[in-house]
Amino acid sequence: MKALNIIICLFLLSFFSCIKKDCQIDGSYQFEIPATLSPAKETYKIGDTISISSRFSDQVYEAVTDQFYPLVDFKFYPTFELNEISDSIIDQGALNNFEVIIDTVKYDLTEFIYSSGSVTYDGQYLYKNGVYSLEYKLIPKATGLYDFYQSTLVGGIGEEQDFPGKCRNIDTRVRTILNDRADNNIDLARNSPNELYNTWIFNSPEERFTYLGGYIFYVEE
């Protein structure tokens, strides 16, 4: 009987150890992935080439727990957009003012044009040999003050993906860290007549700009 009780206890211990526990984490997981915009300048000329590149291992840093997790073949849903903020009314279709160059054989990115007039490119990273990658180029065709964002749609599309060590009660979010936390010309936003840019983003610049992979620049002739 004693041996049977021990066996039962071991079975229960094994069973419950396989059940994911709830974790006490403040808010959501906040994974951070890098991206680079180059050359990094305040002002470009029409016809200049702006390159965006993102490449990182599937061992991804998470800021809340301060540790790395294996995100193997994870769906990040990268997205990028451009807004012209030269006027009080934001032009969310400002990608039309740029030539977008993407190797669509290699990278899964598709243009989306919404009824509101906004334009984005959405898709997935290329995942190969434990490394995620994404590259594209932008060539400006019109002058103005522009706000670029490269972010991800993880957590915003209703899909909750699993990964080793994940707590079942915690949502997953991803921050895009552009140019290794450079200021990315955020002060140029004060030159926009739109209050969202000259005031609102400065009330919480990390959440409303930095973690969204934001970059502000002028295009001149």
Side-chain angles (χ1 to χ4, degrees):
M1 180 64 70
K2 184 176 181 181
L4 178 60
N5 288 337
I6 292 174
I7 292 173
I8 292 173
C9 288
L10 290 173
F11 170 79
L12 292 175
L13 179 62
S14 175
F15 176 79
F16 285 109
S17 67
C18 293
I19 299 177
K20 287 188 176 182
K21 64 179 180 179
D22 290 346
C23 298
Q24 300 302 315
I25 294 177
D26 186 17
S28 305
Y29 288 109
Q30 299 288 346
F31 287 97
E32 296 187 350
I33 60 176
T36 302
L37 183 150
S38 64
K41 303 194 298 185
E42 288 191 0
T43 303
Y44 301 92
K45 300 289 187 182
I46 291 177
D48 284 350
T49 298
I50 304 169
S51 298
I52 297 90
S53 174
S54 182
R55 184 179 176 86
F56 55 96
S57 160
D58 59 12
Q59 303 298 310
V60 184
Y61 176 72
E62 197 285 312
V64 177
T65 58
D66 189 27
Q67 60 182 292
F68 289 82
Y69 291 85
L71 302 188
V72 177
D73 203 13
F74 196 79
K75 303 305 180 185
F76 287 95
Y77 300 102
T79 179
F80 70 87
E81 63 183 86
L82 267 162
N83 303 309
E84 185 180 359
I85 59 174
S86 307
D87 299 319
S88 57
I89 298 176
I90 299 171
D91 179 5
Q92 295 179 306
L95 271 172
N96 293 324
N97 295 345
F98 291 74
E99 180 183 356
V100 181
I101 301 175
I102 302 170
D103 182 351
T104 54
V105 174
K106 184 176 183 180
Y107 298 112
D108 175 16
L109 283 176
T110 303
E111 180 185 34
F112 286 87
I113 302 174
Y114 298 88
S115 58
S116 62
S118 63
V119 180
T120 68
Y121 276 76
D122 305 335
Q124 291 297 344
Y125 281 90
L126 173 65
Y127 180 64
K128 186 176 181 179
N129 297 327
V131 175
Y132 294 93
S133 63
L134 181 66
E135 294 181 343
Y136 55 93
K137 300 179 187 296
L138 304 171
I139 300 177
K141 301 185 293 184
T143 61
L145 177 62
Y146 293 96
D147 178 29
F148 165 84
Y149 286 104
Q150 178 179 307
S151 55
T152 75
L153 299 177
V154 171
I157 58 175
E159 177 184 357
E160 192 59 38
Q161 300 175 72
D162 202 5
F163 54 85
K166 183 184 185 301
C167 299
R168 63 183 177 183
N169 60 319
I170 305 299
D171 294 333
T172 302
R173 299 289 185 270
V174 177
R175 304 167 175 172
T176 301
I177 307 301
L178 187 66
N179 292 343
D180 197 23
R181 285 186 166 82
D183 65 21
N184 293 322
N185 306 327
I186 188 174
D187 284 340
L188 293 183
R190 300 187 189 278
N191 298 338
S192 172
N194 188 284
E195 189 175 356
L196 283 176
Y197 285 92
N198 60 41
T199 302
W200 183 76
I201 67 170
F202 291 99
N203 293 331
S204 184
E206 287 190 333
E207 298 296 332
R208 298 171 182 177
F209 184 78
T210 303
Y211 294 154
L212 299 176
Y215 194 93
I216 299 178
F217 60 93
Y218 279 103
V219 173
E220 298 179 348
E221 294 184 352

PDB file of all heavy atoms in Angstrom, residues 182-213:
ATOM      1  N   ALA A 182      18.216  54.585 -31.132  1.00  0.00           N
ATOM      2  CA  ALA A 182      18.542  55.971 -31.467  1.00  0.00           C
ATOM      3  C   ALA A 182      17.271  56.815 -31.363  1.00  0.00           C
ATOM      4  O   ALA A 182      16.158  56.282 -31.299  1.00  0.00           O
ATOM      5  CB  ALA A 182      19.116  56.040 -32.880  1.00  0.00           C
ATOM      6  N   ASP A 183      17.418  58.162 -31.342  1.00  0.00           N
ATOM      7  CA  ASP A 183      16.220  58.990 -31.197  1.00  0.00           C
ATOM      8  C   ASP A 183      15.368  58.997 -32.461  1.00  0.00           C
ATOM      9  O   ASP A 183      14.192  59.349 -32.435  1.00  0.00           O
ATOM     10  CB  ASP A 183      16.587  60.417 -30.786  1.00  0.00           C
ATOM     11  CG  ASP A 183      17.398  61.165 -31.844  1.00  0.00           C
ATOM     12  OD1 ASP A 183      17.373  60.795 -33.033  1.00  0.00           O
ATOM     13  OD2 ASP A 183      18.066  62.137 -31.479  1.00  0.00           O
ATOM     14  N   ASN A 184      15.960  58.603 -33.604  1.00  0.00           N
ATOM     15  CA  ASN A 184      15.231  58.464 -34.867  1.00  0.00           C
ATOM     16  C   ASN A 184      14.433  59.719 -35.247  1.00  0.00           C
ATOM     17  O   ASN A 184      13.335  59.639 -35.798  1.00  0.00           O
ATOM     18  CB  ASN A 184      14.331  57.230 -34.832  1.00  0.00           C
ATOM     19  CG  ASN A 184      15.140  55.942 -34.775  1.00  0.00           C
ATOM     20  OD1 ASN A 184      16.175  55.820 -35.407  1.00  0.00           O
ATOM     21  ND2 ASN A 184      14.683  54.985 -33.978  1.00  0.00           N
ATOM     22  N   ASN A 185      15.035  60.863 -34.919  1.00  0.00           N
ATOM     23  CA  ASN A 185      14.508  62.183 -35.311  1.00  0.00           C
ATOM     24  C   ASN A 185      13.124  62.483 -34.734  1.00  0.00           C
ATOM     25  O   ASN A 185      12.339  63.215 -35.335  1.00  0.00           O
ATOM     26  CB  ASN A 185      14.449  62.316 -36.839  1.00  0.00           C
ATOM     27  CG  ASN A 185      15.773  62.025 -37.508  1.00  0.00           C
ATOM     28  OD1 ASN A 185      16.839  62.300 -36.953  1.00  0.00           O
ATOM     29  ND2 ASN A 185      15.719  61.453 -38.701  1.00  0.00           N
ATOM     30  N   ILE A 186      12.836  61.977 -33.555  1.00  0.00           N
ATOM     31  CA  ILE A 186      11.506  62.194 -32.981  1.00  0.00           C
ATOM     32  C   ILE A 186      11.193  63.671 -32.795  1.00  0.00           C
ATOM     33  O   ILE A 186      10.042  64.091 -32.910  1.00  0.00           O
ATOM     34  CB  ILE A 186      11.348  61.432 -31.642  1.00  0.00           C
ATOM     35  CG1 ILE A 186       9.889  61.498 -31.162  1.00  0.00           C
ATOM     36  CG2 ILE A 186      12.323  61.956 -30.596  1.00  0.00           C
ATOM     37  CD1 ILE A 186       9.610  60.656 -29.938  1.00  0.00           C
ATOM     38  N   ASP A 187      12.207  64.503 -32.563  1.00  0.00           N
ATOM     39  CA  ASP A 187      11.957  65.930 -32.352  1.00  0.00           C
ATOM     40  C   ASP A 187      11.388  66.608 -33.588  1.00  0.00           C
ATOM     41  O   ASP A 187      10.749  67.669 -33.483  1.00  0.00           O
ATOM     42  CB  ASP A 187      13.238  66.644 -31.913  1.00  0.00           C
ATOM     43  CG  ASP A 187      13.574  66.376 -30.453  1.00  0.00           C
ATOM     44  OD1 ASP A 187      12.654  65.971 -29.708  1.00  0.00           O
ATOM     45  OD2 ASP A 187      14.729  66.564 -30.053  1.00  0.00           O
ATOM     46  N   LEU A 188      11.577  66.020 -34.763  1.00  0.00           N
ATOM     47  CA  LEU A 188      10.976  66.591 -35.974  1.00  0.00           C
ATOM     48  C   LEU A 188       9.456  66.535 -35.927  1.00  0.00           C
ATOM     49  O   LEU A 188       8.776  67.280 -36.649  1.00  0.00           O
ATOM     50  CB  LEU A 188      11.480  65.851 -37.217  1.00  0.00           C
ATOM     51  CG  LEU A 188      12.961  65.999 -37.567  1.00  0.00           C
ATOM     52  CD1 LEU A 188      13.275  65.249 -38.871  1.00  0.00           C
ATOM     53  CD2 LEU A 188      13.346  67.468 -37.715  1.00  0.00           C
ATOM     54  N   ALA A 189       8.910  65.665 -35.081  1.00  0.00           N
ATOM     55  CA  ALA A 189       7.458  65.579 -34.956  1.00  0.00           C
ATOM     56  C   ALA A 189       6.862  66.887 -34.445  1.00  0.00           C
ATOM     57  O   ALA A 189       5.699  67.200 -34.712  1.00  0.00           O
ATOM     58  CB  ALA A 189       7.075  64.437 -34.024  1.00  0.00           C
ATOM     59  N   ARG A 190       7.645  67.666 -33.718  1.00  0.00           N
ATOM     60  CA  ARG A 190       7.156  68.954 -33.208  1.00  0.00           C
ATOM     61  C   ARG A 190       6.896  69.944 -34.345  1.00  0.00           C
ATOM     62  O   ARG A 190       6.181  70.934 -34.162  1.00  0.00           O
ATOM     63  CB  ARG A 190       8.172  69.538 -32.228  1.00  0.00           C
ATOM     64  CG  ARG A 190       8.434  68.654 -31.013  1.00  0.00           C
ATOM     65  CD  ARG A 190       9.307  69.351 -29.991  1.00  0.00           C
ATOM     66  NE  ARG A 190       9.747  68.455 -28.931  1.00  0.00           N
ATOM     67  CZ  ARG A 190       9.013  68.134 -27.860  1.00  0.00           C
ATOM     68  NH1 ARG A 190       7.800  68.633 -27.729  1.00  0.00           N
ATOM     69  NH2 ARG A 190       9.500  67.316 -26.938  1.00  0.00           N
ATOM     70  N   ASN A 191       7.462  69.677 -35.526  1.00  0.00           N
ATOM     71  CA  ASN A 191       7.246  70.565 -36.672  1.00  0.00           C
ATOM     72  C   ASN A 191       5.941  70.277 -37.404  1.00  0.00           C
ATOM     73  O   ASN A 191       5.561  71.025 -38.305  1.00  0.00           O
ATOM     74  CB  ASN A 191       8.416  70.433 -37.652  1.00  0.00           C
ATOM     75  CG  ASN A 191       9.737  70.852 -37.042  1.00  0.00           C
ATOM     76  OD1 ASN A 191       9.770  71.598 -36.061  1.00  0.00           O
ATOM     77  ND2 ASN A 191      10.835  70.376 -37.601  1.00  0.00           N
ATOM     78  N   SER A 192       5.281  69.183 -37.020  1.00  0.00           N
ATOM     79  CA  SER A 192       4.000  68.862 -37.641  1.00  0.00           C
ATOM     80  C   SER A 192       2.890  69.694 -37.003  1.00  0.00           C
ATOM     81  O   SER A 192       2.849  69.857 -35.783  1.00  0.00           O
ATOM     82  CB  SER A 192       3.669  67.377 -37.466  1.00  0.00           C
ATOM     83  OG  SER A 192       2.347  67.099 -37.904  1.00  0.00           O
ATOM     84  N   PRO A 193       1.953  70.220 -37.816  1.00  0.00           N
ATOM     85  CA  PRO A 193       0.824  70.959 -37.244  1.00  0.00           C
ATOM     86  C   PRO A 193      -0.229  70.058 -36.610  1.00  0.00           C
ATOM     87  O   PRO A 193      -1.174  70.552 -35.982  1.00  0.00           O
ATOM     88  CB  PRO A 193       0.244  71.711 -38.455  1.00  0.00           C
ATOM     89  CG  PRO A 193       0.656  70.915 -39.632  1.00  0.00           C
ATOM     90  CD  PRO A 193       1.970  70.285 -39.289  1.00  0.00           C
ATOM     91  N   ASN A 194      -0.084  68.739 -36.771  1.00  0.00           N
ATOM     92  CA  ASN A 194      -1.055  67.812 -36.203  1.00  0.00           C
ATOM     93  C   ASN A 194      -0.728  67.523 -34.744  1.00  0.00           C
ATOM     94  O   ASN A 194       0.409  67.199 -34.401  1.00  0.00           O
ATOM     95  CB  ASN A 194      -1.061  66.508 -37.006  1.00  0.00           C
ATOM     96  CG  ASN A 194      -2.184  65.580 -36.580  1.00  0.00           C
ATOM     97  OD1 ASN A 194      -2.112  64.944 -35.540  1.00  0.00           O
ATOM     98  ND2 ASN A 194      -3.234  65.521 -37.397  1.00  0.00           N
ATOM     99  N   GLU A 195      -1.722  67.626 -33.889  1.00  0.00           N
ATOM    100  CA  GLU A 195      -1.514  67.492 -32.442  1.00  0.00           C
ATOM    101  C   GLU A 195      -1.064  66.097 -32.033  1.00  0.00           C
ATOM    102  O   GLU A 195      -0.370  65.938 -31.021  1.00  0.00           O
ATOM    103  CB  GLU A 195      -2.801  67.856 -31.695  1.00  0.00           C
ATOM    104  CG  GLU A 195      -2.620  67.951 -30.185  1.00  0.00           C
ATOM    105  CD  GLU A 195      -3.869  68.428 -29.470  1.00  0.00           C
ATOM    106  OE1 GLU A 195      -4.854  68.758 -30.156  1.00  0.00           O
ATOM    107  OE2 GLU A 195      -3.865  68.470 -28.227  1.00  0.00           O
ATOM    108  N   LEU A 196      -1.430  65.073 -32.808  1.00  0.00           N
ATOM    109  CA  LEU A 196      -0.963  63.726 -32.489  1.00  0.00           C
ATOM    110  C   LEU A 196       0.556  63.655 -32.496  1.00  0.00           C
ATOM    111  O   LEU A 196       1.159  62.894 -31.732  1.00  0.00           O
ATOM    112  CB  LEU A 196      -1.531  62.723 -33.501  1.00  0.00           C
ATOM    113  CG  LEU A 196      -2.988  62.303 -33.335  1.00  0.00           C
ATOM    114  CD1 LEU A 196      -3.387  61.385 -34.470  1.00  0.00           C
ATOM    115  CD2 LEU A 196      -3.205  61.625 -31.991  1.00  0.00           C
ATOM    116  N   TYR A 197       1.153  64.454 -33.362  1.00  0.00           N
ATOM    117  CA  TYR A 197       2.610  64.408 -33.503  1.00  0.00           C
ATOM    118  C   TYR A 197       3.313  65.471 -32.669  1.00  0.00           C
ATOM    119  O   TYR A 197       4.342  65.195 -32.048  1.00  0.00           O
ATOM    120  CB  TYR A 197       2.993  64.527 -34.977  1.00  0.00           C
ATOM    121  CG  TYR A 197       2.720  63.243 -35.717  1.00  0.00           C
ATOM    122  CD1 TYR A 197       1.500  63.028 -36.352  1.00  0.00           C
ATOM    123  CD2 TYR A 197       3.661  62.230 -35.740  1.00  0.00           C
ATOM    124  CE1 TYR A 197       1.235  61.834 -37.004  1.00  0.00           C
ATOM    125  CE2 TYR A 197       3.408  61.035 -36.401  1.00  0.00           C
ATOM    126  CZ  TYR A 197       2.195  60.836 -37.023  1.00  0.00           C
ATOM    127  OH  TYR A 197       1.930  59.653 -37.653  1.00  0.00           O
ATOM    128  N   ASN A 198       2.802  66.678 -32.656  1.00  0.00           N
ATOM    129  CA  ASN A 198       3.534  67.723 -31.927  1.00  0.00           C
ATOM    130  C   ASN A 198       3.313  67.668 -30.420  1.00  0.00           C
ATOM    131  O   ASN A 198       4.017  68.335 -29.661  1.00  0.00           O
ATOM    132  CB  ASN A 198       3.190  69.119 -32.472  1.00  0.00           C
ATOM    133  CG  ASN A 198       1.725  69.475 -32.360  1.00  0.00           C
ATOM    134  OD1 ASN A 198       1.080  69.188 -31.365  1.00  0.00           O
ATOM    135  ND2 ASN A 198       1.177  70.128 -33.399  1.00  0.00           N
ATOM    136  N   THR A 199       2.344  66.866 -29.972  1.00  0.00           N
ATOM    137  CA  THR A 199       2.065  66.778 -28.528  1.00  0.00           C
ATOM    138  C   THR A 199       1.891  65.345 -28.052  1.00  0.00           C
ATOM    139  O   THR A 199       2.564  64.891 -27.125  1.00  0.00           O
ATOM    140  CB  THR A 199       0.805  67.587 -28.180  1.00  0.00           C
ATOM    141  OG1 THR A 199       0.986  68.944 -28.583  1.00  0.00           O
ATOM    142  CG2 THR A 199       0.534  67.535 -26.680  1.00  0.00           C
ATOM    143  N   TRP A 200       0.951  64.612 -28.672  1.00  0.00           N
ATOM    144  CA  TRP A 200       0.494  63.330 -28.145  1.00  0.00           C
ATOM    145  C   TRP A 200       1.615  62.311 -28.006  1.00  0.00           C
ATOM    146  O   TRP A 200       1.740  61.668 -26.957  1.00  0.00           O
ATOM    147  CB  TRP A 200      -0.614  62.779 -29.046  1.00  0.00           C
ATOM    148  CG  TRP A 200      -1.208  61.498 -28.573  1.00  0.00           C
ATOM    149  CD1 TRP A 200      -2.099  61.309 -27.559  1.00  0.00           C
ATOM    150  CD2 TRP A 200      -0.954  60.196 -29.129  1.00  0.00           C
ATOM    151  NE1 TRP A 200      -2.421  59.980 -27.436  1.00  0.00           N
ATOM    152  CE2 TRP A 200      -1.735  59.272 -28.388  1.00  0.00           C
ATOM    153  CE3 TRP A 200      -0.160  59.725 -30.166  1.00  0.00           C
ATOM    154  CZ2 TRP A 200      -1.734  57.918 -28.654  1.00  0.00           C
ATOM    155  CZ3 TRP A 200      -0.150  58.365 -30.442  1.00  0.00           C
ATOM    156  CH2 TRP A 200      -0.936  57.473 -29.690  1.00  0.00           C
ATOM    157  N   ILE A 201       2.458  62.140 -29.037  1.00  0.00           N
ATOM    158  CA  ILE A 201       3.472  61.089 -28.927  1.00  0.00           C
ATOM    159  C   ILE A 201       4.522  61.412 -27.873  1.00  0.00           C
ATOM    160  O   ILE A 201       5.159  60.507 -27.328  1.00  0.00           O
ATOM    161  CB  ILE A 201       4.160  60.795 -30.280  1.00  0.00           C
ATOM    162  CG1 ILE A 201       4.997  61.973 -30.752  1.00  0.00           C
ATOM    163  CG2 ILE A 201       3.161  60.368 -31.330  1.00  0.00           C
ATOM    164  CD1 ILE A 201       5.874  61.632 -31.944  1.00  0.00           C
ATOM    165  N   PHE A 202       4.671  62.691 -27.526  1.00  0.00           N
ATOM    166  CA  PHE A 202       5.667  63.064 -26.528  1.00  0.00           C
ATOM    167  C   PHE A 202       5.191  62.791 -25.097  1.00  0.00           C
ATOM    168  O   PHE A 202       5.978  62.842 -24.164  1.00  0.00           O
ATOM    169  CB  PHE A 202       6.051  64.535 -26.687  1.00  0.00           C
ATOM    170  CG  PHE A 202       6.826  64.801 -27.953  1.00  0.00           C
ATOM    171  CD1 PHE A 202       6.191  65.313 -29.073  1.00  0.00           C
ATOM    172  CD2 PHE A 202       8.175  64.500 -28.034  1.00  0.00           C
ATOM    173  CE1 PHE A 202       6.883  65.538 -30.243  1.00  0.00           C
ATOM    174  CE2 PHE A 202       8.888  64.721 -29.205  1.00  0.00           C
ATOM    175  CZ  PHE A 202       8.237  65.240 -30.314  1.00  0.00           C
ATOM    176  N   ASN A 203       3.907  62.489 -24.930  1.00  0.00           N
ATOM    177  CA  ASN A 203       3.397  62.117 -23.610  1.00  0.00           C
ATOM    178  C   ASN A 203       3.813  60.695 -23.231  1.00  0.00           C
ATOM    179  O   ASN A 203       3.858  60.354 -22.047  1.00  0.00           O
ATOM    180  CB  ASN A 203       1.870  62.235 -23.582  1.00  0.00           C
ATOM    181  CG  ASN A 203       1.406  63.668 -23.698  1.00  0.00           C
ATOM    182  OD1 ASN A 203       2.100  64.600 -23.286  1.00  0.00           O
ATOM    183  ND2 ASN A 203       0.225  63.872 -24.281  1.00  0.00           N
ATOM    184  N   SER A 204       4.103  59.873 -24.226  1.00  0.00           N
ATOM    185  CA  SER A 204       4.579  58.500 -23.979  1.00  0.00           C
ATOM    186  C   SER A 204       5.412  58.064 -25.179  1.00  0.00           C
ATOM    187  O   SER A 204       5.001  57.211 -25.962  1.00  0.00           O
ATOM    188  CB  SER A 204       3.388  57.553 -23.767  1.00  0.00           C
ATOM    189  OG  SER A 204       3.841  56.251 -23.446  1.00  0.00           O
ATOM    190  N   PRO A 205       6.596  58.655 -25.352  1.00  0.00           N
ATOM    191  CA  PRO A 205       7.360  58.448 -26.584  1.00  0.00           C
ATOM    192  C   PRO A 205       7.806  57.011 -26.822  1.00  0.00           C
ATOM    193  O   PRO A 205       7.907  56.589 -27.975  1.00  0.00           O
ATOM    194  CB  PRO A 205       8.564  59.387 -26.412  1.00  0.00           C
ATOM    195  CG  PRO A 205       8.662  59.640 -24.945  1.00  0.00           C
ATOM    196  CD  PRO A 205       7.260  59.606 -24.438  1.00  0.00           C
ATOM    197  N   GLU A 206       8.070  56.261 -25.771  1.00  0.00           N
ATOM    198  CA  GLU A 206       8.489  54.877 -25.990  1.00  0.00           C
ATOM    199  C   GLU A 206       7.350  54.050 -26.574  1.00  0.00           C
ATOM    200  O   GLU A 206       7.513  53.362 -27.582  1.00  0.00           O
ATOM    201  CB  GLU A 206       8.985  54.255 -24.686  1.00  0.00           C
ATOM    202  CG  GLU A 206      10.342  54.766 -24.234  1.00  0.00           C
ATOM    203  CD  GLU A 206      10.908  53.949 -23.090  1.00  0.00           C
ATOM    204  OE1 GLU A 206      10.109  53.364 -22.326  1.00  0.00           O
ATOM    205  OE2 GLU A 206      12.144  53.893 -22.961  1.00  0.00           O
ATOM    206  N   GLU A 207       6.182  54.101 -25.962  1.00  0.00           N
ATOM    207  CA  GLU A 207       5.056  53.296 -26.413  1.00  0.00           C
ATOM    208  C   GLU A 207       4.499  53.781 -27.747  1.00  0.00           C
ATOM    209  O   GLU A 207       4.017  52.970 -28.550  1.00  0.00           O
ATOM    210  CB  GLU A 207       3.939  53.313 -25.356  1.00  0.00           C
ATOM    211  CG  GLU A 207       4.336  52.731 -24.010  1.00  0.00           C
ATOM    212  CD  GLU A 207       4.665  51.250 -24.106  1.00  0.00           C
ATOM    213  OE1 GLU A 207       4.107  50.571 -24.993  1.00  0.00           O
ATOM    214  OE2 GLU A 207       5.484  50.775 -23.293  1.00  0.00           O
ATOM    215  N   ARG A 208       4.546  55.068 -28.004  1.00  0.00           N
ATOM    216  CA  ARG A 208       3.900  55.630 -29.190  1.00  0.00           C
ATOM    217  C   ARG A 208       4.850  55.890 -30.354  1.00  0.00           C
ATOM    218  O   ARG A 208       4.407  56.299 -31.432  1.00  0.00           O
ATOM    219  CB  ARG A 208       3.172  56.925 -28.798  1.00  0.00           C
ATOM    220  CG  ARG A 208       2.071  56.691 -27.771  1.00  0.00           C
ATOM    221  CD  ARG A 208       1.498  57.972 -27.217  1.00  0.00           C
ATOM    222  NE  ARG A 208       0.474  57.672 -26.212  1.00  0.00           N
ATOM    223  CZ  ARG A 208      -0.167  58.592 -25.498  1.00  0.00           C
ATOM    224  NH1 ARG A 208       0.113  59.879 -25.659  1.00  0.00           N
ATOM    225  NH2 ARG A 208      -1.083  58.231 -24.606  1.00  0.00           N
ATOM    226  N   PHE A 209       6.141  55.632 -30.133  1.00  0.00           N
ATOM    227  CA  PHE A 209       7.103  55.877 -31.201  1.00  0.00           C
ATOM    228  C   PHE A 209       8.240  54.851 -31.195  1.00  0.00           C
ATOM    229  O   PHE A 209       8.401  54.077 -32.125  1.00  0.00           O
ATOM    230  CB  PHE A 209       7.666  57.291 -31.075  1.00  0.00           C
ATOM    231  CG  PHE A 209       8.597  57.688 -32.178  1.00  0.00           C
ATOM    232  CD1 PHE A 209       8.111  58.061 -33.415  1.00  0.00           C
ATOM    233  CD2 PHE A 209       9.974  57.696 -31.974  1.00  0.00           C
ATOM    234  CE1 PHE A 209       8.975  58.426 -34.448  1.00  0.00           C
ATOM    235  CE2 PHE A 209      10.851  58.056 -32.995  1.00  0.00           C
ATOM    236  CZ  PHE A 209      10.342  58.419 -34.236  1.00  0.00           C
ATOM    237  N   THR A 210       9.015  54.820 -30.120  1.00  0.00           N
ATOM    238  CA  THR A 210      10.225  54.002 -30.081  1.00  0.00           C
ATOM    239  C   THR A 210       9.920  52.525 -30.283  1.00  0.00           C
ATOM    240  O   THR A 210      10.551  51.861 -31.120  1.00  0.00           O
ATOM    241  CB  THR A 210      10.959  54.197 -28.744  1.00  0.00           C
ATOM    242  OG1 THR A 210      11.254  55.575 -28.570  1.00  0.00           O
ATOM    243  CG2 THR A 210      12.248  53.392 -28.714  1.00  0.00           C
ATOM    244  N   TYR A 211       8.950  51.974 -29.517  1.00  0.00           N
ATOM    245  CA  TYR A 211       8.665  50.548 -29.589  1.00  0.00           C
ATOM    246  C   TYR A 211       7.890  50.156 -30.846  1.00  0.00           C
ATOM    247  O   TYR A 211       7.678  48.963 -31.112  1.00  0.00           O
ATOM    248  CB  TYR A 211       7.894  50.089 -28.351  1.00  0.00           C
ATOM    249  CG  TYR A 211       8.692  50.174 -27.068  1.00  0.00           C
ATOM    250  CD1 TYR A 211       8.054  50.319 -25.839  1.00  0.00           C
ATOM    251  CD2 TYR A 211      10.079  50.108 -27.075  1.00  0.00           C
ATOM    252  CE1 TYR A 211       8.780  50.393 -24.659  1.00  0.00           C
ATOM    253  CE2 TYR A 211      10.812  50.188 -25.904  1.00  0.00           C
ATOM    254  CZ  TYR A 211      10.155  50.329 -24.696  1.00  0.00           C
ATOM    255  OH  TYR A 211      10.872  50.403 -23.526  1.00  0.00           O
ATOM    256  N   LEU A 212       7.468  51.145 -31.635  1.00  0.00           N
ATOM    257  CA  LEU A 212       6.781  50.882 -32.896  1.00  0.00           C
ATOM    258  C   LEU A 212       7.733  50.987 -34.081  1.00  0.00           C
ATOM    259  O   LEU A 212       7.303  50.950 -35.232  1.00  0.00           O
ATOM    260  CB  LEU A 212       5.612  51.856 -33.076  1.00  0.00           C
ATOM    261  CG  LEU A 212       4.516  51.800 -32.015  1.00  0.00           C
ATOM    262  CD1 LEU A 212       3.476  52.892 -32.277  1.00  0.00           C
ATOM    263  CD2 LEU A 212       3.849  50.428 -31.996  1.00  0.00           C
ATOM    264  N   GLY A 213       9.019  51.128 -33.801  1.00  0.00           N
ATOM    265  CA  GLY A 213       9.990  51.260 -34.876  1.00  0.00           C
ATOM    266  C   GLY A 213       9.801  52.542 -35.660  1.00  0.00           C
ATOM    267  O   GLY A 213       9.876  52.552 -36.892  1.00  0.00           O
TER     268      GLY A 213
END
